[in-house]
Amino acid sequence: MDYDAHFAEKIRLLKDEGRYRVFATLERLRGHFPQAIYHAPDGSSREVTIWCSNDYLGMGQHPTVLAAMNDAIERSGAGAGGTRNISGTTIYHDELEASLADLHSKESALVFSSGYVANEGALSTLIRLLPDCAVFSDANNHASMIHGMRSGGAEKFIYRHNDVAHLEELLRAVDPERPKLIAFESVYSMEGTIAPIGEICELAKKYGGMTYLDEVHAVGLYGPRGGGVSEARGLMDRIDIIEGTFGKAYGLMGGYIAGGAPVVDAVRSYASGFIFTTSLPPAVLAGARASIEHLKVSQIERERAHRNARHLKDRLERGGLPFLKGESHIVPLIVGDAVCCKRITDILLDEHDIYVQPINYPTVPKGTERLRLTATAAHSVEQIDRLCDVLFDLWNEQHVFKYAVA
């Protein structure tokens, strides 16, 4: 078999469908986010404005975070030294996990190398440890959650997105004595929707289920201390396991779970994705803790981010552009065709120095291709207005959005 030819054909098919992913090489500028230097394939470089970052609050550039990371490097060096079980557990882990438990008002917390690994490791482990577990999953759950549920090997029931009536219908049909786990997200990043957390908690109580809430796109950004949507709605005490990340509003990398001590200890003791992974380095852990502690008391970043998101939505609404009007800070602008979506992002980057990546299948269903716009706390009103003016021109004058779904 000609292996190279086989894989080259697979890549050609992606390109023909307009789904081939091209990475833009960016150089973030300390203290100047959302500006970055774009290094083009021809060797040239220029400054661009980033409009698709998950660094929602600009904490990846915050002086308090950078100082904590520099101090950790000076004290402990660069590497972790191994897995948590062998030689990789540091004082920085203990301090960060204590900060997380406090953030979510839980007994315990456990740090993972990424949010994906946290979801896969925690869900697969919990499901395997619960005898004859029935899992109930929102249809729009993240790939990491789906991976974890599949790895757990339990029977899975998928309910329509945010449809509590359908969830109850599925719960009612399962033996009341079976262990049940309801897995869902607070903020769905590709739709901008927010889950009916209180209603799901009521169903969990009624049918004897555990709740597993992914708050990755909400921690830091929602709630008086950044505990997520569950904190903002006064529901943290009703969630059994909260999963989060440092890779979005906190501005770094890594993931975690928080919950009751026995549950967290069981995941620590059984999850292979935790046991066999090299630990995060001290600088990342120290920076994450500094970011979390800062956002427990500071409202400035949250207020700016939500204000900017409202302004972006208001401008797009007045201009008649087809975006999904969810409750959250995320603004998905629907294009509806992969080739067209890539063409729009190329025009934005090449002609207007606006960087945003196209979102295509399998991340979203075919026919719903989109630009996922995020107005962060670091964007100015002037930058938002300029983005909207360019999009309006492409929509109304140049008719580039010819495949757009209204």
Side-chain angles (χ1 to χ4, degrees):
M1 181 177 184
D2 187 336
Y3 295 105
D4 283 347
H6 173 78
F7 292 117
E9 174 64 13
K10 294 297 183 181
I11 295 299
R12 185 191 67 78
L13 292 173
L14 282 179
K15 291 181 177 179
D16 288 348
E17 295 174 11
R19 296 195 293 117
Y20 181 70
R21 297 168 190 258
V22 178
F23 295 158
T25 302
L26 300 174
E27 180 183 355
R28 283 162 62 103
L29 301 172
R30 176 174 174 171
H32 294 282
F33 179 76
Q35 300 304 108
I37 299 299
Y38 167 58
H39 295 273
D42 64 4
S44 65
S45 61
R46 65 183 188 276
E47 191 170 299
V48 298
T49 305
I50 301 173
W51 279 101
C52 53
S53 176
N54 287 334
D55 191 357
Y56 299 132
L57 301 178
M59 294 302 295
Q61 304 287 315
H62 198 282
T64 299
V65 174
L66 300 184
M69 297 183 76
N70 283 323
D71 180 67
I73 288 176
E74 290 298 321
R75 290 175 52 134
S76 298
T83 66
R84 289 284 298 275
N85 295 281
I86 297 176
S87 62
T89 295
T90 68
I91 185 64
Y92 299 102
H93 287 95
D94 292 347
E95 291 173 346
L96 177 55
E97 287 169 349
S99 177
L100 290 165
D102 170 73
L103 174 67
H104 293 296
S105 298
K106 300 298 183 188
E107 293 178 331
S108 186
L110 186 67
V111 169
F112 291 78
S113 57
S114 74
Y116 191 107
V117 175
N119 267 335
E120 193 283 326
L123 282 167
S124 62
T125 300
L126 293 169
I127 291 166
R128 285 198 306 269
L129 294 180
L130 289 169
D132 194 27
C133 180
V135 182
F136 300 84
S137 172
D138 187 287
N140 287 9
N141 275 342
H142 190 264
S144 59
M145 300 177 76
I146 295 169
H147 185 180
M149 288 181 273
R150 283 178 178 165
S151 297
E155 185 178 14
K156 184 171 72 171
F157 302 86
I158 300 173
Y159 64 92
R160 291 183 291 271
H161 178 52
N162 281 350
D163 189 335
V164 291
H166 188 214
L167 173 58
E168 180 163 25
E169 178 185 326
L170 295 174
L171 285 164
R172 190 185 300 119
V174 172
D175 183 347
E177 299 303 314
R178 287 182 70 180
K180 302 172 186 67
L181 180 69
I182 305 173
F184 61 108
E185 301 180 40
S186 58
V187 175
Y188 288 85
S189 65
M190 290 302 149
E191 294 79 26
T193 52
I194 294 180
I197 300 174
E199 296 173 70
I200 293 174
C201 289
E202 284 297 317
L203 290 179
K205 179 180 178 181
K206 182 177 179 179
Y207 292 95
M210 290 182 66
T211 48
Y212 183 102
L213 176 61
D214 177 316
E215 288 258 37
V216 297
H217 288 277
V219 288
L221 193 52
Y222 294 83
R225 299 203 310 154
V229 177
S230 58
E231 183 195 27
R233 297 184 176 178
L235 297 167
M236 279 199 306
D237 63 320
R238 304 191 65 184
I239 302 296
D240 294 300
I241 304 145
I242 293 174
E243 187 266 348
T245 186
F246 314 126
K248 296 179 172 54
Y250 291 125
L252 289 106
M253 67 170 293
Y256 66 89
I257 62 169
V263 174
V264 173
D265 198 19
V267 173
R268 183 189 70 86
S269 301
Y270 283 91
S272 59
F274 172 82
I275 294 170
F276 299 106
T277 299
T278 298
S279 168
L280 289 174
V284 171
L285 299 166
R289 180 174 179 268
S291 185
I292 291 165
E293 291 299 317
H294 174 82
L295 291 172
K296 284 179 181 178
V297 296
S298 176
Q299 304 301 325
I300 296 171
E301 294 83 5
R302 281 189 281 276
E303 290 172 356
R304 284 178 180 166
H306 291 301
R307 177 201 67 198
N308 285 343
R310 286 193 300 270
H311 183 63
L312 175 58
K313 289 180 179 182
D314 288 345
R315 285 292 317 270
L316 295 177
E317 179 79 32
R318 293 200 301 271
L321 267 64
F323 70 98
L324 299 181
K325 300 172 178 62
E327 301 175 68
S328 78
H329 60 288
I330 294 168
V331 184
L333 181 62
I334 300 299
V335 177
D337 177 86
V339 174
C340 184
C341 200
K342 181 65 168 62
R343 182 186 173 203
I344 291 169
T345 58
D346 286 346
I347 291 172
L348 290 173
L349 181 60
D350 296 339
E351 299 180 17
H352 302 283
D353 297 330
I354 291 171
Y355 172 68
V356 56
Q357 277 284 59
I359 306 294
N360 297 324
Y361 177 85
T363 307
V364 296
K366 290 182 179 180
T368 70
E369 290 80 4
R370 65 199 63 180
L371 311 184
R372 179 185 173 275
L373 303 173
T374 53
T376 72
H379 284 89
S380 68
V381 172
E382 291 74 21
Q383 287 172 325
I384 296 171
D385 287 339
R386 179 173 181 270
L387 169 69
C388 291
D389 289 342
V390 171
L391 291 173
F392 296 156
D393 181 64
L394 294 177
W395 173 267
N396 294 311
E397 302 300 326
Q398 299 188 46
H399 304 292
V400 178
F401 281 73
K402 72 177 195 175
Y403 294 105
V405 178

